[in-house]
Amino acid sequence: MAVYTDVSPEELEAFLATYEIGRLRAFKGIAEGVENSNYLLQTEAGSFILTLYEKRVNPADLPFFIGLMEHLASRGIDCPQPVKNRAGAALGTLAGRPAAIATFLVGTSVRRPSAGHCAALGTALAGLHKAGADFTAFRRANALSVPGWRPLFEQAEARADTVAPGLAALIADELATLEPNWPTGLPAGVIHADLFPDNVFFTDGRLSGLIDFYFACNDLLAYDIAICLNAWCFEPDGAYNQTKGRALLAAYQAERPLEPAEIDALTLLCRGAALRFLLTRLVDWLNVPPGALVRPHDPKDYLRRLRFHRAVRNVRDYGIALAGSAA
Amino acid sequence: MAVYTDVSPEELEAFLATYEIGRLRAFKGIAEGVENSNYLLQTEAGSFILTLYEKRVNPADLPFFIGLMEHLASRGIDCPQPVKNRAGAALGTLAGRPAAIATFLVGTSVRRPSAGHCAALGTALAGLHKAGADFTAFRRANALSVPGWRPLFEQAEARADTVAPGLAALIADELATLEPNWPTGLPAGVIHADLFPDNVFFTDGRLSGLIDFYFACNDLLAYDIAICLNAWCFEPDGAYNQTKGRALLAAYQAERPLEPAEIDALTLLCRGAALRFLLTRLVDWLNVPPGALVRPHDPKDYLRRLRFHRAVRNVRDYGIALAGSAA
């Protein structure tokens, strides 16, 4: 649910006059994305998404996001393509906020991904990583990687055990393991960093696009895989589905084979990805205003994932095909 | 902001299979309407609005709403037209709620209506009243007319003065006037009862449609005019704009001339309309949960309107052309 800034029709009309997308036919706030306000625009030229960047987005990051989407679209990745105004700029100001118009991506997300969906995701993720390899115009560090986790924990520590007994000790133990042992030197580049099922569109069973690049950053490519394994390959009861994991990993490797060091690091990266979402969800969960209309995600879903990864003794448990195995 | 019920893509697919509107291309929750969940659907056949009826809507009223929209559309009124499924029904069940699909209406609402917009509204309102005259298949009483006001006041009375000093006494006085003097015997029929600017779409300056019929009911036609005068003809500073009122009333009367008794009752009807929205906004205002994301409308806007109407001594103050005057 995301319409934080109210745009008057008069302001909108003036903003659209700076673009060459024809006259407005319809305009509706939509419940997509969680950080920004998003509107569906219909004009004589078709459908578009208008995004107003809200306070949680750092304006200094906008050239990275906009430039990345332009770059990826130019490399054939199906993602929203920023539309330039008459002055050639993809970023303007509307209702006092930075604002951009992007093309409308056809498709719908799936709630319960199948192994086939996971395979399609693996292919698209590798394609994204390859297409992003030469995006060097801007850089953006991952604010939610290892150095960002302890400050989140400190916000949540005192009340963590109200969510699950022993949670504070478990997170402290996990940080003590991950901080000194986090892999370095692995292949790095642009990662999406939030490629949950609701950010992936399918049309007639085929993957038709990726959206919401507002967590994208420069980081380890295999960390993006770890985020996706967490987000796509666990069942509602918390069990890891190795068939889905195998499908995702094999499809990814068909496009970009993992290096041995990436495979060795996979369990640790999966633990880190689970901890990252556990921590942000825990902080949101503990800070929900009473009576708020939006219910945050239950952090315990990611606690179950973390426990799974901590128990993994062999990376084959993820369903990965090791060198010498059949792909 | 209105997406209260979450619809999974799988449930949606099964629901759409009962319609003949082609395959799904896009699906987004939209911030439209306040009582129900609304989604934009794009299919091979075009754009549609999917509405899930939430708890505040009485399922027994749905045949009235759906039947009314079908009736009005068949009479040439630009309003959402319910789409029937393969079984010929306009009402189905989705995610455990009654649900309907309607055609997508092109246009955008205005925030600050001009006199021209008010004139267009007057024409459309009279057209609506004439088109609704032979809608007799279902009836729906106005739950928010005179008998509904005192119960609302009783919910708000104890804390009303925290909103504005003397408010409780003013409302009590107003009820004491309106309850025994509310007009009877005036022309009645189907009224929209909530025709605020956000429920009226314009395209290229022309009125292109009316939406949100979920307060529609059988009541005095002139009461609908009074609601519109309140909603369209006051400036942000609380002043009545007689030019706008004149435009609305003249355009309405060009389609359906008011009877003398309706004109005589106009001030009282305007007071009643102002009181109705003052009361519902006051109750919402006093009951907003702390930390809620949705800020209710300030009831004081309608207090200012009510004070204006209480001071009106001559119905000409609304800008109405009386018999013998120039139209």
Side-chain angles (χ1 to χ4, degrees), chain B residues 108-170:
Chain B
T108 55
S109 54
V110 294
R111 184 73 50 92
R112 295 184 218 103
S114 66
H117 292 126
C118 292
L121 173 72
T123 305
L125 185 66
L128 179 72
H129 290 168
K130 291 203 287 191
D134 60 343
F135 178 66
T136 51
F138 301 95
R139 284 188 57 81
R140 180 173 184 263
N142 189 354
L144 290 169
S145 187
V146 190
W149 298 340
R150 194 168 286 275
L152 288 170
F153 178 49
E154 284 164 3
Q155 288 177 50
E157 185 171 8
R159 288 186 291 150
D161 284 9
T162 65
V163 172
L167 181 57
L170 183 133

Side-chain angles (χ1 to χ4, degrees), chain B residues 28-45:
Chain B
K28 298 188 191 300
I30 59 173
E32 200 159 89
V34 291
E35 302 286 316
N36 302 312
S37 295
N38 287 293
Y39 291 89
L40 170 78
L41 279 182
Q42 291 190 352
T43 76
E44 291 171 316

Side-chain angles (χ1 to χ4, degrees), chain A residues 1-3 6-10 23-32 40 42 47 49 104-112 201 203-204 289-294, chain B residues 1-3 6-10 23-32 40 42 47 49 104-112 201 203-204 289-294:
Chain A
M1 180 78 55
V3 181
D6 197 29
V7 177
S8 78
E10 294 79 8
R23 278 184 300 193
L24 185 64
R25 297 179 72 239
F27 176 60
K28 300 190 190 300
I30 59 173
E32 198 158 272
L40 170 78
Q42 291 191 351
S47 295
I49 300 291
F104 181 91
L105 222 59
V106 161
T108 55
S109 55
V110 294
R111 184 72 50 91
R112 295 184 219 105
F201 287 170
T203 303
D204 301 333
L293 294 177
V294 176
Chain B
M1 182 77 58
V3 181
D6 197 29
V7 177
S8 79
E10 293 79 8
R23 277 184 301 192
L24 185 63
R25 296 180 71 238
F27 175 59
K28 298 188 191 300
I30 59 173
E32 200 159 89
L40 170 78
Q42 291 190 352
S47 295
I49 300 289
F104 181 91
L105 221 58
V106 160
T108 55
S109 54
V110 294
R111 184 73 50 92
R112 295 184 218 103
F201 286 171
T203 303
D204 301 333
L293 294 177
V294 176

Side-chain angles (χ1 to χ4, degrees), chain B:
Chain B
M1 182 77 58
V3 181
Y4 303 102
T5 297
D6 197 29
V7 177
S8 79
E10 293 79 8
E11 288 172 305
L12 176 64
E13 203 103 355
F15 183 74
L16 288 184
T18 67
Y19 287 82
E20 281 179 337
I21 55 175
R23 277 184 301 192
L24 185 63
R25 296 180 71 238
F27 175 59
K28 298 188 191 300
I30 59 173
E32 200 159 89
V34 291
E35 302 286 316
N36 302 312
S37 295
N38 287 293
Y39 291 89
L40 170 78
L41 279 182
Q42 291 190 352
T43 76
E44 291 171 316
S47 295
F48 301 88
I49 300 289
L50 166 69
T51 300
L52 272 68
Y53 298 99
E54 300 293 343
K55 283 175 215 148
R56 285 176 71 163
V57 172
N58 180 354
D61 285 334
L62 292 175
F64 175 90
F65 298 138
I66 301 276
L68 175 62
M69 286 188 279
E70 285 178 336
H71 176 90
L72 294 174
S74 77
R75 293 294 184 279
I77 302 293
D78 292 313
C79 68
Q81 184 161 5
V83 177
K84 293 197 161 112
N85 63 22
R86 292 178 202 271
L91 199 59
T93 302
L94 177 56
R97 305 250 177 248
I101 293 175
T103 54
F104 181 91
L105 221 58
V106 160
T108 55
S109 54
V110 294
R111 184 73 50 92
R112 295 184 218 103
S114 66
H117 292 126
C118 292
L121 173 72
T123 305
L125 185 66
L128 179 72
H129 290 168
K130 291 203 287 191
D134 60 343
F135 178 66
T136 51
F138 301 95
R139 284 188 57 81
R140 180 173 184 263
N142 189 354
L144 290 169
S145 187
V146 190
W149 298 340
R150 194 168 286 275
L152 288 170
F153 178 49
E154 284 164 3
Q155 288 177 50
E157 185 171 8
R159 288 186 291 150
D161 284 9
T162 65
V163 172
L167 181 57
L170 183 133
I171 294 174
D173 182 59
E174 196 63 16
L175 284 172
T177 302
L178 296 179
E179 283 174 342
N181 295 304
W182 195 247
T184 54
L186 302 183
V190 173
I191 71 168
H192 184 286
D194 194 41
L195 207 45
F196 278 64
D198 45 343
N199 288 332
V200 179
F201 286 171
F202 290 85
T203 303
D204 301 333
R206 288 177 304 99
L207 191 152
S208 57
L210 311 176
I211 66 164
D212 205 347
F213 286 79
Y214 300 108
F215 287 95
C217 54
N218 295 90
D219 204 343
L220 306 180
L221 300 180
Y223 182 54
D224 223 6
I225 303 175
I227 290 170
C228 288
L229 288 171
N230 275 288
W232 289 71
C233 303
F234 283 82
E235 298 302 311
D237 67 0
Y240 181 73
N241 185 319
Q242 200 183 80
T243 305
K244 294 180 182 177
R246 182 179 299 119
L248 194 163
L249 289 161
Y252 185 96
Q253 292 219 76
E255 297 294 321
R256 188 184 79 84
L258 293 176
E259 296 181 2
E262 290 181 287
I263 295 174
D264 288 346
L266 192 59
T267 308
L268 216 59
L269 293 168
C270 283
R271 285 168 64 169
L275 183 64
R276 172 255 185 267
F277 288 99
L278 171 59
L279 283 168
T280 50
R281 290 181 177 195
L282 181 62
V283 169
D284 287 346
W285 186 265
L286 292 174
N287 292 292
V288 63
L293 294 177
V294 176
R295 201 162 52 97
H297 293 291
D298 188 342
K300 290 196 290 294
D301 291 346
Y302 269 79
L303 174 58
R304 280 187 283 272
R305 284 160 169 73
L306 180 58
R307 289 204 167 114
F308 170 83
H309 301 305
R310 283 165 62 99
V312 165
R313 292 289 163 261
N314 189 322
V315 70
R316 284 174 191 269
D317 290 355
Y318 290 110
I320 198 158
L322 300 182
S325 317

Side-chain angles (χ1 to χ4, degrees), chain A:
Chain A
M1 180 78 55
V3 181
Y4 303 101
T5 297
D6 197 29
V7 177
S8 78
E10 294 79 8
E11 289 171 303
L12 177 65
E13 203 103 357
F15 182 73
L16 288 184
T18 68
Y19 287 82
E20 283 181 333
I21 55 174
R23 278 184 300 193
L24 185 64
R25 297 179 72 239
F27 176 60
K28 300 190 190 300
I30 59 173
E32 198 158 272
V34 291
E35 302 287 314
N36 301 310
S37 295
N38 287 294
Y39 291 90
L40 170 78
L41 279 182
Q42 291 191 351
T43 76
E44 291 171 316
S47 295
F48 301 89
I49 300 291
L50 166 69
T51 300
L52 273 66
Y53 298 99
E54 300 293 342
K55 282 175 218 150
R56 284 176 72 164
V57 172
N58 179 355
D61 286 334
L62 292 174
F64 175 90
F65 298 138
I66 302 275
L68 176 61
M69 286 189 279
E70 285 177 336
H71 176 89
L72 293 174
S74 78
R75 292 294 183 281
I77 302 292
D78 291 312
C79 67
Q81 184 160 6
V83 176
K84 291 197 162 110
N85 64 21
R86 291 178 204 272
L91 198 58
T93 302
L94 177 56
R97 304 251 177 249
I101 293 175
T103 53
F104 181 91
L105 222 59
V106 161
T108 55
S109 55
V110 294
R111 184 72 50 91
R112 295 184 219 105
S114 65
H117 293 126
C118 292
L121 172 73
T123 305
L125 185 66
L128 178 72
H129 290 167
K130 292 202 288 190
D134 60 342
F135 178 65
T136 51
F138 302 95
R139 283 188 58 82
R140 180 173 185 264
N142 188 353
L144 290 169
S145 187
V146 189
W149 298 340
R150 193 167 286 276
L152 288 169
F153 178 48
E154 284 163 2
Q155 288 177 50
E157 185 172 6
R159 287 187 291 151
D161 285 9
T162 64
V163 172
L167 181 56
L170 183 132
I171 295 174
D173 182 58
E174 196 63 15
L175 284 171
T177 302
L178 296 179
E179 283 174 340
N181 296 304
W182 194 246
T184 54
L186 301 183
V190 173
I191 71 168
H192 184 286
D194 195 42
L195 206 45
F196 279 64
D198 44 344
N199 288 331
V200 179
F201 287 170
F202 290 85
T203 303
D204 301 333
R206 286 177 306 99
L207 191 151
S208 57
L210 310 176
I211 66 165
D212 205 347
F213 285 79
Y214 301 108
F215 287 96
C217 53
N218 295 91
D219 205 342
L220 306 180
L221 300 180
Y223 182 54
D224 224 6
I225 302 174
I227 289 170
C228 289
L229 287 172
N230 275 287
W232 289 71
C233 302
F234 284 82
E235 299 302 310
D237 66 1
Y240 181 73
N241 185 319
Q242 200 184 79
T243 306
K244 294 181 183 176
R246 183 179 297 119
L248 194 163
L249 288 161
Y252 185 95
Q253 292 219 76
E255 297 294 320
R256 188 184 80 83
L258 292 176
E259 296 181 3
E262 291 182 287
I263 294 174
D264 288 345
L266 193 60
T267 308
L268 217 58
L269 292 168
C270 282
R271 285 169 64 169
L275 182 63
R276 171 255 183 270
F277 289 99
L278 170 59
L279 282 168
T280 50
R281 291 182 177 194
L282 181 62
V283 168
D284 288 346
W285 186 267
L286 292 173
N287 292 292
V288 63
L293 294 177
V294 176
R295 201 161 53 97
H297 293 292
D298 188 342
K300 290 195 290 296
D301 290 345
Y302 269 78
L303 174 57
R304 279 188 283 271
R305 284 161 169 72
L306 180 58
R307 288 202 169 118
F308 170 82
H309 301 305
R310 282 165 63 99
V312 165
R313 290 290 162 260
N314 188 322
V315 70
R316 284 174 191 268
D317 290 355
Y318 290 110
I320 197 160
L322 300 182
S325 316

